[in-house]
Amino acid sequence: EGSREMLNPAGAGLGLSVCLSVCPRRALGSSGRSAREDSWLKSLFVRKVDPRKDAHSNLLAKRETSSLYKLQFHNVKPECLEAYNKLCQEVLPKIHEEKHYPCALVGTWNTWYGEQDQAVHLWRYEGGYPALNEVMSKLRQNKEFTEFRKERGNMLLSRKNQLLLEFSFWNEPVPRGGPNIYELRSYQLRPGTMIEWGNYWARAIRFRQDNNEAVGGFFSQIGQLYMVHHLWAYKDLQTREDIRNAAWHKPGWDELVYYTVPLIQEMESRIMIPLKISPLQ
């Protein structure tokens, strides 16, 4: 950085031409020396990147907790959605309430607006990856769950999941009464912009706390990477509209939106309705 002001394309070209005219023998030296000089010259114009002292996940996630989240998307055959919901409502609480399984069902929904005939499940694993491995190992030995997966598989068109961590500055997702609708806003960020996104949203979240609409904020660790998910709760669609419009009247919100929009490659919004067994109602 200290030598940047003396570097410019015109100056660099002039210096090189002087060297060639004054020192012809050097210019006609070995190809190895010429390659080194070219490499050095190119390095002057390469943007330097400061080394990170820690992983992004450790800089952004809550340090006082070690919870890992799993977000599941199940695309259900349209004629099977009712049977799918009934099956999930019978089996999932048994896993959620089982004391020997270190996991909790945070919420389960059907998509209302967005991708249709879709179920969304959010799980928390207390203790991180070891807890996830323990649950998966025990479920493989659980005959009822094995039968559940087999029956459920016959109802699905496709499914995918992601493992997530929660942003340190977001609310902890805790059970709440209803009735509510939920919005899951999913952002595909440009690679390398997660820290920048976190810095802006650490300030932006305060603009969205007045009506208790903020449920949780997460970023992906495994699955589709550089994904961010914001989960919001509203009484109804009109309340959602009113709350979102009110944010634009708060000084500073428009500026934060202005700076975060260029970080996004794609974004998607789902409006979801909770199932009866969902702790988030």
Side-chain angles (χ1 to χ4, degrees), residues 73-86 88 110-111 115-119 149-159:
F73 298 98
H74 291 171
N75 291 320
V76 185
K77 296 175 182 177
E79 68 274 15
C80 295
L81 186 59
E82 184 176 350
Y84 172 93
N85 288 339
K86 182 179 179 181
C88 287
N110 285 156
T111 300
E115 194 161 355
Q116 296 294 284
D117 304 307
Q118 185 180 71
R149 280 178 59 95
K150 184 177 180 180
E151 186 176 355
R152 184 189 68 183
N154 293 328
M155 302 179 183
L156 299 182
L157 293 170
S158 65
R159 61 192 179 100

Side-chain angles (χ1 to χ4, degrees), residues 95-266:
I95 303 170
H96 168 65
E97 297 167 1
E98 172 59 58
K99 295 180 180 179
H100 300 293
Y101 290 171
C103 67
L105 182 63
V106 177
T108 178
W109 305 267
N110 285 156
T111 300
W112 183 22
Y113 287 103
E115 194 161 355
Q116 296 294 284
D117 304 307
Q118 185 180 71
V120 180
H121 309 289
L122 181 63
W123 292 87
R124 179 195 294 118
Y125 297 88
E126 304 288 351
Y129 292 107
L132 173 66
N133 291 336
E134 180 181 348
V135 171
M136 295 299 101
S137 178
K138 289 180 176 179
L139 287 178
R140 281 192 290 268
Q141 307 301 319
N142 186 321
K143 292 183 179 180
E144 183 180 8
F145 184 76
T146 302
E147 290 299 317
F148 161 72
R149 280 178 59 95
K150 184 177 180 180
E151 186 176 355
R152 184 189 68 183
N154 293 328
M155 302 179 183
L156 299 182
L157 293 170
S158 65
R159 61 192 179 100
K160 69 175 182 177
N161 58 31
Q162 295 175 352
L163 294 181
L164 315 170
L165 296 176
E166 57 184 330
F167 284 110
S168 60
F169 47 84
W170 264 80
N171 303 25
E172 182 80 16
V174 296
R176 65 170 67 196
N180 294 294
I181 61 171
Y182 288 81
E183 181 176 18
L184 182 66
R185 296 180 71 86
S186 301
Y187 303 89
Q188 177 69 61
L189 301 187
R190 299 182 182 279
T193 62
M194 187 66 74
I195 292 292
E196 194 174 356
W197 177 274
N199 287 337
Y200 284 125
W201 264 96
R203 289 178 284 160
I205 191 63
R206 72 176 186 269
F207 293 101
R208 299 296 308 277
Q209 299 280 13
D210 293 349
N211 299 281
N212 196 33
E213 71 268 26
V215 178
F218 313 91
F219 60 99
S220 61
Q221 285 289 282
I222 295 178
Q224 191 171 356
L225 298 179
Y226 285 97
M227 284 292 299
V228 169
H229 301 282
H230 292 175
L231 184 61
W232 309 91
Y234 303 102
K235 181 180 178 182
D236 50 40
L237 288 174
Q238 185 58 54
T239 302
R240 169 189 176 274
E241 183 74 2
D242 294 341
I243 289 175
R244 288 177 56 81
N245 286 340
W248 289 98
H249 297 286
K250 299 177 181 179
W253 171 255
D254 57 343
E255 181 181 357
L256 290 167
V257 172
Y258 175 84
Y259 285 115
T260 54
V261 166
L263 309 181
I264 301 170
Q265 285 187 327
E266 295 181 15

Side-chain angles (χ1 to χ4, degrees), residues 54-65:
D54 208 344
H56 286 182
S57 58
N58 291 334
L59 295 172
L60 293 168
K62 294 184 177 179
R63 293 179 178 272
E64 68 274 14
T65 65

